[in-house]
Amino acid sequence: MSALIDHAVVITGGGPTGLMLAGELALAGVDVAIVERRRDQELAGSRAGGLHSRTIEVLDQRGIADRFLSQGQVAQVAGFALIRLDISDFPTRHNYGLALWQNHIERILAGWVDELSVPIYRGREVTGFAQDDTGVDVALSDGKSLRTNYLVGCDGGRSLIRKSAGIDFPGWDPTTSHLIAEVEVAREPEWGIRHDASGIHGLSRMEDGGPVRVMVTEQHLGSTSEPTLSDLSEALIAVYGTDYGIHSPASISRFTDMTRQAASYRKGRVLLAGDAAHVHYPAGGQGLNTGVQDAVNLGWKLAQVVKQTSPESLLDSYHAERHPVAVRVLRNTMAQVALMRRPDERVKALQDTMSDLLGMDEPRKRIAAMISGLDIHYDLGEGHPLLGRRMPDLDLITANGRLRTFTLLHDARPVLLNLGEPGTLDITPWAERVRQIDAQYAGTWELPVLGAVAAPSAVLIRPDGHVAWVGDQAQLGLADALTMWFGPPVAA
């Protein structure tokens, strides 16, 4: 095995999570590379179908949201077990979702990563690795190897990185199985969604003159082989009495409601993100979004550890913060499966009850905020309601004119926002790491679900857009927060 090149971080998997993480690390000046088994960014099938509000905010924080918004369809996409949840009254600039297939999401992210000069080793797979006290040796399928400080598995639900690291993946076995495909048909099918005793099914035209998108519930569980056109035909006939003359498949894949989560998101110098860390039924379209947000939580922390700005213990906060988020996703998707799978009259009665409940403002806001990611709250201790939550995108008045809060985060650096007397906060020992902005804001501060909160005098905003400290000119606890998140002070 011959050495190829050294990188500070190697990411295996060039899907949305891996691409987002690479971009975050590159913005921080870290030498990062991706290993991707596909020879190009083309994706068989459409896979995930959109972005939720918080993910759009995250992309806005990096100044790239418009690239996605210009390619997709803005819509109210949040839902719970086919019950649509309107978030148009939520306090966010992006109080909607975006209908956009994963192949387009990946293409746009890959373009951004290319602008940041991240190398992608395509047409290769990681076949194994060995970690020691100083780094990880990564073996590739072409016989070459990489040496890296940290290896991040973004390689999907069957993650070789997770398995090779010996990280447990506990959870629940599947109870239902679906085939999803893009095919041509010889006869006009029954369009739309069908919900019957065998499960949920649907056929739709992807675009004018384009292939037909098929989703059909299989009659039997347990198949682990790659699905074929014959399997799809058999499943369609069982439900519709015909396969509509399906032919020329562009893609056929299988997904189930298997629900599992990595026991730990880190083992030494190996970390997991996205589907490698959590798999679940795609109800509510939360998987891709959770993975992208994993990446944004991990990226700046890993960058600071690599650059020796922060101690390695900072990486422990990645699991501490993101594992509970995925726990909620797993639980709510399991609940949705229970409401959607093979409904009888009792389940239909429960569906009606849930629909009534989610038609009320308070339940709707709570569930919609969870599905859309707008209510994520990292436990950073007691204090102001903003602490640990997403920073609102305020229209600020600064010495350089009007600026949005998210604009201050484009370079993925932390920001100390002083809304009190200018020049009263002193963070000189962290001045090279934390950007300090004096600003004014006269509007109300409002958070999803919680509503209006007291206006703070100052907030410390992490690169992922979450608030790490809320205070005033007394600076009580500010030095501790700066040290915890952005490393010890630099001596004068």
Side-chain angles (χ1 to χ4, degrees):
M1 186 165 62
S2 59
L4 183 61
I5 196 169
D6 290 349
H7 295 284
V9 178
V10 169
I11 298 167
T12 176
T17 301
L19 290 167
M20 192 73 208
L21 179 58
E24 292 290 291
L25 290 165
L27 281 175
V30 170
D31 176 17
V32 56
I34 297 173
V35 178
E36 167 56 44
R37 62 180 176 79
R38 291 174 290 171
R39 295 193 176 277
D40 53 43
Q41 205 61 46
E42 291 301 312
L43 186 67
S46 304
R47 306 286 179 90
L51 300 174
H52 279 301
S53 178
R54 179 54 188 159
T55 306
I56 300 171
E57 286 192 339
V58 164
L59 298 169
D60 199 356
Q61 289 172 186
R62 296 300 178 258
I64 59 174
D66 287 345
R67 304 185 188 194
F68 298 85
L69 293 170
S70 65
Q71 297 294 311
Q73 179 65 50
V74 169
Q76 293 299 327
V77 301
F80 187 89
L82 304 181
I83 302 168
R84 189 55 54 92
L85 302 171
D86 193 323
I87 65 169
S88 60
D89 59 346
F90 275 32
T92 167
R93 203 175 297 270
H94 303 290
N95 52 1
Y96 48 77
L98 186 72
L100 184 65
W101 293 117
Q102 181 175 332
N103 52 353
H104 299 302
I105 293 170
E106 285 196 18
R107 174 177 48 78
I108 297 168
L109 280 173
W112 177 56
V113 165
D114 184 60
E115 291 170 15
L116 296 170
S117 301
V118 175
I120 302 180
Y121 298 108
R122 295 194 178 277
R124 309 174 209 191
E125 296 183 63
V126 172
T127 57
F129 63 85
Q131 61 172 314
D132 53 43
D133 291 341
T134 61
V136 187
D137 290 313
V138 183
L140 303 183
S141 55
D142 62 359
K144 297 181 179 178
S145 68
L146 300 171
R147 175 71 177 176
T148 183
N149 294 347
Y150 291 91
L151 174 65
V152 187
C154 300
D155 53 338
R158 300 174 181 175
S159 172
L160 178 139
I161 304 302
R162 184 191 66 241
K163 294 173 183 176
S164 299
I167 297 174
D168 289 340
F169 202 44
W172 296 268
D173 290 332
T175 65
T176 187
S177 176
H178 306 279
L179 295 177
I180 190 167
E182 293 174 14
V183 296
E184 301 293 341
V185 295
R187 296 181 296 282
E188 186 84 358
E190 176 186 318
W191 300 112
I193 294 175
R194 175 188 282 197
H195 209 172
D196 58 28
S198 64
I200 188 169
H201 328 279
L203 295 103
S204 61
R205 179 75 71 180
M206 292 189 62
E207 56 190 34
D208 291 342
V212 171
R213 183 177 173 84
V214 178
M215 198 275 280
V216 60
T217 302
E218 293 188 277
Q219 302 301 301
H220 306 288
L221 277 173
S223 178
T224 57
S225 61
E226 288 298 317
T228 65
L229 189 64
S230 176
D231 294 329
L232 183 63
S233 173
E234 179 182 330
L236 283 169
I237 290 171
V239 173
Y240 294 93
T242 175
D243 67 0
Y244 300 109
I246 56 170
H247 62 92
S248 307
S251 66
I252 305 175
S253 59
R254 175 180 285 113
F255 70 92
T256 73
D257 65 333
M258 182 174 71
T259 304
R260 296 186 180 279
Q261 185 176 23
S264 174
Y265 284 14
R266 177 190 172 207
K267 189 167 185 179
R269 293 178 173 272
V270 177
L271 300 109
L272 304 175
D275 288 355
H278 40 76
V279 295
H280 52 85
Y281 193 74
Q286 300 166 87
L288 182 153
N289 291 268
T290 304
V292 168
Q293 292 170 43
D294 285 346
V296 175
N297 183 284
L298 174 60
W300 63 274
K301 297 172 181 177
L302 185 54
Q304 289 181 183
V305 172
V306 166
K307 297 167 78 172
Q308 300 184 330
T309 302
S310 293
E312 195 172 293
S313 58
L314 179 63
L315 294 178
D316 294 336
S317 71
Y318 168 59
H319 173 93
E321 292 181 350
R322 293 304 298 173
H323 192 275
V325 171
V327 167
R328 290 201 314 164
V329 173
L330 266 59
R331 300 300 295 185
N332 84 58
T333 53
M334 289 172 69
Q336 292 184 67
V337 169
L339 281 174
M340 293 189 295
R341 182 174 175 266
R342 297 183 174 90
D344 57 20
E345 289 305 315
R346 291 174 175 81
V347 173
K348 288 179 181 177
L350 181 57
Q351 288 174 339
D352 290 342
T353 301
M354 285 298 299
S355 185
D356 288 344
L357 282 172
L358 294 176
M360 302 175 188
D361 267 359
E362 184 65 16
R364 170 184 63 86
K365 288 179 179 179
R366 285 184 176 273
I367 298 299
M370 175 176 62
I371 299 293
S372 63
L374 290 170
D375 76 335
I376 291 172
H377 178 213
Y378 299 139
D379 185 4
L380 305 188
E382 298 295 322
H384 193 283
L386 277 167
L387 188 63
R389 298 183 188 274
R390 51 175 278 287
M391 176 68 186
D393 187 23
L394 309 177
D395 288 308
L396 304 169
I397 300 174
T398 73
N400 295 320
R402 292 184 178 272
L403 287 175
R404 292 196 291 126
T405 308
F406 286 4
T407 304
L408 302 176
L409 296 171
H410 282 186
D411 60 359
R413 287 183 60 201
V415 174
L416 177 63
L417 185 60
N418 176 28
L419 297 159
E421 187 68 25
T424 53
L425 295 177
D426 182 13
I427 59 167
T428 302
W430 292 272
E432 293 300 313
R433 305 175 211 159
V434 181
R435 184 180 184 186
Q436 185 170 350
I437 299 290
D438 291 328
Q440 296 177 358
Y441 177 70
T444 58
W445 290 68
E446 191 175 358
L447 295 173
V449 181
L450 295 184
V453 299
S457 297
V459 289
L460 179 62
I461 310 168
R462 306 189 323 188
D464 59 1
H466 283 257
V467 176
W469 173 85
V470 182
D472 53 31
Q473 277 61 44
Q475 301 191 51
L476 184 65
L478 177 57
D480 289 341
L482 288 164
T483 300
M484 172 181 287
W485 298 111
F486 311 118
V490 176

